[in-house]
């Protein structure tokens, strides 16, 4: 059993920054990959970024150059540093983890609103 808890969402002005955190606990096996997804208002869930336990990263084109994903393996925590935020980034951001004996685990989501 794995639990994921996101935090760090809130209201920010266009051009501002936020950092999201997602802490995993329970039976964590390595190697694994942690992911950030988002669901835009009225839209479907879409991939944002991922990072493996070895440090390999991947980003959606819409956030590349603005967002940075990182992780602390000792704390089983993944972060998403979001810079130059746009109104189009407004969404509920959720994390998950996939790997050996791990699938279908999601956090509760955290709301990010970008508005002036």
């Amino acid at each position: 059993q794995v639990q994921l808890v996101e935090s760090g969402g809130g209201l920010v002005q266009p051009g501002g920054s936020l950092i999201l955190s997602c802490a995993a606990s329970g039976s964590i096996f390595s190697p694994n990959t942690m992911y950030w997804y988002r669901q835009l208002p009225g839209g479907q869930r879409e991939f944002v970024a991922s990072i493996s336990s070895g440090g390999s990263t991947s980003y959606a084109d819409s956030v590349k150059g603005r967002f940075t994903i990182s992780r602390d393996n000792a704390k089983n925590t993944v972060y998403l540093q979001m810079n130059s935020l746009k109104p189009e980034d407004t969404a509920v951001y959720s994390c998950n983890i996939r790997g050996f004996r791990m699938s279908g685990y999601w956090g509760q989501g955290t709301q990010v609103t970008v508005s002036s």
Side-chain angles (χ1 to χ4, degrees):
Q1 194 85 306
V2 176
Q3 296 80 44
L4 299 164
V5 180
E6 299 109 333
S7 61
L11 175 64
V12 64
Q13 296 183 16
S17 298
L18 283 174
I19 183 165
L20 307 182
S21 300
C22 176
S25 61
S27 299
I28 308 298
F29 294 90
S30 294
N32 63 68
T33 300
M34 301 187 78
Y35 300 76
W36 285 101
Y37 283 77
R38 66 186 184 186
Q39 185 167 1
L40 278 63
Q44 58 188 6
R45 184 174 292 182
E46 63 184 33
F47 168 81
V48 176
S50 67
I51 184 167
S52 72
S53 48
S56 297
T57 60
S58 183
Y59 296 92
D61 288 342
S62 59
V63 306
K64 190 171 297 182
R66 299 189 298 121
F67 292 9
T68 302
I69 190 170
S70 62
R71 65 187 288 166
D72 185 333
N73 289 338
K75 298 180 179 179
N76 289 318
T77 299
V78 62
Y79 306 92
L80 187 68
Q81 176 68 56
M82 304 184 295
N83 299 324
S84 301
L85 283 162
K86 306 174 181 179
E88 306 91 85
D89 296 317
T90 295
V92 175
Y93 287 74
S94 302
C95 70
N96 84 330
I97 183 170
R98 303 171 200 167
F100 179 65
R101 298 177 67 89
M102 297 183 296
S103 65
Y105 297 108
W106 292 89
Q108 82 287 350
T110 185
Q111 175 71 49
V112 172
T113 302
V114 185
S115 176
S116 59

